[in-house]
Amino acid sequence: MVYTIDIQIQEKAKERVVDMSELLEMGKKARAASYEMSCLGTDKKNEALLRVADALVEHAGEILKGNKVDLENGEKNGMSPALMDRLRLTEERIAGIAEGVRQVAALDDPIGEIISMKRRPNGLEIGQMRVPMGVIGIIYESRPNVTVDSFALTFKAGNATILRGGSDCIHSNLVLIRVIRDALAEAGVPVDSVQLVENTDRAVATELMKMNKYLDLLIPRGGAGLIRSVVENATVPVIETGTGNCHIYIDKTADLDQAVQIVRNAKLQRLGVCNAAESLVIHKDIAEQALPLIAADLASEDCEIRGDEAAQAISNLVVPATEEDYGTEYLAKIISAKIVNDLDEAIAHINKYSTGHSEAILTKDYASAQRFLREIDSAAVYVNASTRFTDGFEFGFGAEIGISTQKLHARGPMGLLALTSTKYIIYGDGQTRP
């Protein structure tokens, strides 16, 4: 099957008056599909996921055609290089996305797992069973890979999902969803287990946030503005996937060669991602050796360092930082730098400006590493490694639905377990309550 896109129809869809009956109908279909999904066996789910993975590769050409339209529109609209990179698909990236789907298929199915079972004095056996969340809404921006990752994880966890991507990636998403739904139909499973909101009007997103009757959970993925809008406007329960002002602290015992390599990777390996390092914190006892090496290495890639007076005094490659710089997620070739007197000051600085995403300490001192792990209040805390590993794929989840920076229900990269709930199951033998 060849997938085509009528761009004029899509442009009209963005302009038309919001028809809420369409969104409500999607909610009804998703709820009905969620009941079917809760009864779907592991083998059937895995078969469908493998069909989807194969279909993505088979239809890569059509997917890239849709993505090309989005990229052209992004250029016309002045989209930043970091966001363009997030938006861009290639055959290699599509193959990687398909491999992520296969990895999800290979994961253990959490549904039906008995978490605990205890016998009460009255003979009742009370336990917990893992069950699907139900219907999950996901609102996201210009990352078409999120479309597939979100589908794969929610599907394997027995849920139905309603996806609302941004206008920036609408043409990519239209083809992706058609490919996925056709593969589901071939596998004989509910096609309405995944639906795409094609109308990219913001009013539609706002209404989706209030669909308590149909949505059990809402997950936003994107920039600070999108996440704030969802948190402030949603009446559906929300898991906040926060922005990433990630720090690397270079302790006085750090290996300098390792520090240069880790900072380069964490900052520059990919700019437009939430786990990229945005802030350097350096112990004063090693700053005169470490900072010139790191600054020269970053400058060779045109990366600007904005630092305090102490950092500026050490390297003429450092330009003055403002207070705002220390709390900024740049998503660009810019990084802040702060020289500190000791580990206490480093931890205080990071906890003050962090968004609770990912932080790293580079050190040879075990005690310092352990204190950093205990006292840094973030979802992922590293010792001698790049923050770029905060990712569901790297954590062995196959893919991720997002990286939660809150503390309720789920925290950090969200894989299958984060998309499930539990219910109590009770076995009796005629007991009645006195």
Side-chain angles (χ1 to χ4, degrees):
M1 183 179 294
V2 177
Y3 301 93
T4 59
I5 300 168
D6 189 326
I7 298 174
Q8 287 185 335
I9 291 176
Q10 289 309 314
E11 292 301 321
K12 290 178 181 177
K14 287 187 286 185
E15 295 172 359
R16 72 187 180 196
V17 175
V18 177
D19 183 355
M20 285 310 303
S21 64
E22 294 182 19
L23 198 57
L24 293 176
E25 185 62 27
M26 292 180 73
K28 292 176 183 178
K29 289 180 179 179
R31 179 58 70 193
S34 73
Y35 296 139
E36 294 184 66
M37 288 298 301
S38 66
C39 302
L40 208 60
T42 301
D43 290 344
K44 196 65 176 175
K45 287 190 285 188
N46 290 343
E47 176 195 343
L49 287 168
L50 294 175
R51 281 180 178 266
V52 168
D54 291 343
L56 291 170
V57 175
E58 180 183 348
H59 294 286
E62 292 98 317
I63 295 168
L64 291 176
K65 287 179 183 178
N67 187 242
K68 182 181 178 182
V69 177
D70 291 329
L71 290 170
E72 290 172 349
N73 289 339
E75 280 193 26
K76 292 176 185 176
N77 296 329
M79 183 180 287
S80 71
L83 291 180
M84 286 287 285
D85 179 60
R86 284 186 172 192
L87 175 60
R88 180 172 287 106
L89 292 175
T90 63
E91 286 194 4
E92 183 179 5
R93 287 187 178 181
I94 292 172
I97 291 169
E99 178 58 28
V101 176
R102 294 189 184 98
Q103 288 196 19
V104 171
L107 294 174
D108 291 338
D109 189 344
I111 302 306
E113 176 189 359
I114 305 301
I115 300 171
S116 66
M117 183 65 72
K118 295 181 180 180
R119 188 177 182 86
R120 299 291 297 150
N122 62 3
L124 287 178
E125 293 187 10
I126 302 177
Q128 280 184 291
M129 176 187 288
R130 197 173 294 282
V131 297
M133 188 69 67
V135 180
I136 299 175
I138 302 172
I139 300 177
Y140 55 104
E141 293 175 330
S142 53
R143 296 185 67 174
N145 65 294
V146 174
T147 302
V148 183
D149 291 349
S150 299
F151 153 73
L153 286 168
T154 53
F155 184 88
K156 182 64 181 271
N159 300 291
T161 184
I162 297 177
L163 304 174
R164 195 278 187 184
S167 59
D168 294 337
C169 61
I170 183 61
H171 301 96
S172 306
N173 286 341
L174 283 167
V175 184
L176 286 169
I177 289 297
R178 290 175 193 173
V179 171
I180 291 170
R181 284 171 61 92
D182 282 349
L184 295 182
E186 291 174 4
V189 299
V191 295
D192 289 328
S193 58
V194 59
Q195 298 178 82
L196 176 70
V197 179
E198 297 185 10
N199 190 324
T200 59
D201 192 303
R202 289 186 179 181
V204 175
T206 301
E207 291 301 324
L208 185 63
M209 298 175 199
K210 303 179 187 300
M211 287 178 57
N212 298 63
K213 183 176 180 180
Y214 300 109
L215 295 183
D216 297 291
L217 179 66
L218 189 61
I219 302 173
R221 287 193 63 174
L226 169 67
I227 293 166
R228 184 171 58 252
S229 174
V230 174
V231 171
E232 291 176 355
N233 291 298
T235 57
V236 175
V238 174
I239 291 183
E240 184 175 351
T241 58
T243 54
N245 181 26
C246 303
H247 295 73
I248 294 180
Y249 169 54
I250 302 173
D251 194 30
K252 62 183 178 181
T253 63
D255 181 302
L256 290 179
D257 290 337
Q258 194 178 83
V260 172
Q261 293 174 10
I262 288 175
V263 171
R264 167 187 274 260
N265 178 264
K267 176 67 247 184
L268 298 177
Q269 194 260 346
R270 195 169 179 188
L271 295 174
V273 289
C274 59
N275 56 20
E278 305 287 17
S279 300
L280 279 177
V281 183
I282 308 175
H283 194 291
K284 65 179 180 60
D285 290 354
I286 201 173
E288 290 191 3
Q289 292 78 44
L291 185 55
L293 294 174
I294 292 169
D297 186 64
L298 294 179
S300 71
E301 297 291 336
D302 298 320
C303 182
E304 178 182 293
I305 300 179
R306 299 178 182 177
D308 59 6
E309 291 183 0
Q312 294 170 57
I314 293 172
S315 173
N316 59 9
L317 294 174
V318 179
V319 301
T322 65
E323 182 74 14
E324 184 180 2
D325 280 310
Y326 295 120
T328 298
E329 182 188 37
Y330 294 109
L331 301 176
K333 289 187 176 182
I334 306 170
I335 193 168
S336 68
K338 172 75 174 178
I339 309 299
V340 295
N341 292 315
D342 51 30
L343 180 59
D344 288 335
E345 188 178 348
I347 291 172
H349 176 84
I350 293 171
N351 281 338
K352 178 180 179 179
Y353 292 102
S354 168
T355 54
H357 195 293
S358 301
E359 328 297 345
I361 181 174
L362 311 186
T363 185
K364 295 178 183 177
D365 185 76
Y366 177 80
S368 295
Q370 294 306 302
R371 271 200 63 201
F372 194 85
L373 290 173
R374 286 194 308 270
E375 298 180 25
I376 290 295
D377 189 20
S378 291
V381 187
Y382 294 82
V383 177
N384 297 325
S386 169
T387 57
R388 283 284 288 116
F389 286 102
T390 306
D391 174 87
F393 188 89
E394 296 292 340
F395 278 26
F397 300 162
E400 70 180 34
I401 207 75
I403 297 172
S404 170
T405 55
Q406 65 178 35
K407 298 182 183 181
L408 292 176
H409 173 61
R411 194 180 193 192
M414 296 167 57
L416 289 176
L417 294 184
L419 301 175
T420 65
S421 184
T422 60
K423 65 181 176 185
Y424 282 97
I425 56 173
I426 303 95
Y427 291 94
D429 187 24
Q431 287 90 339
T432 60
R433 185 168 179 173

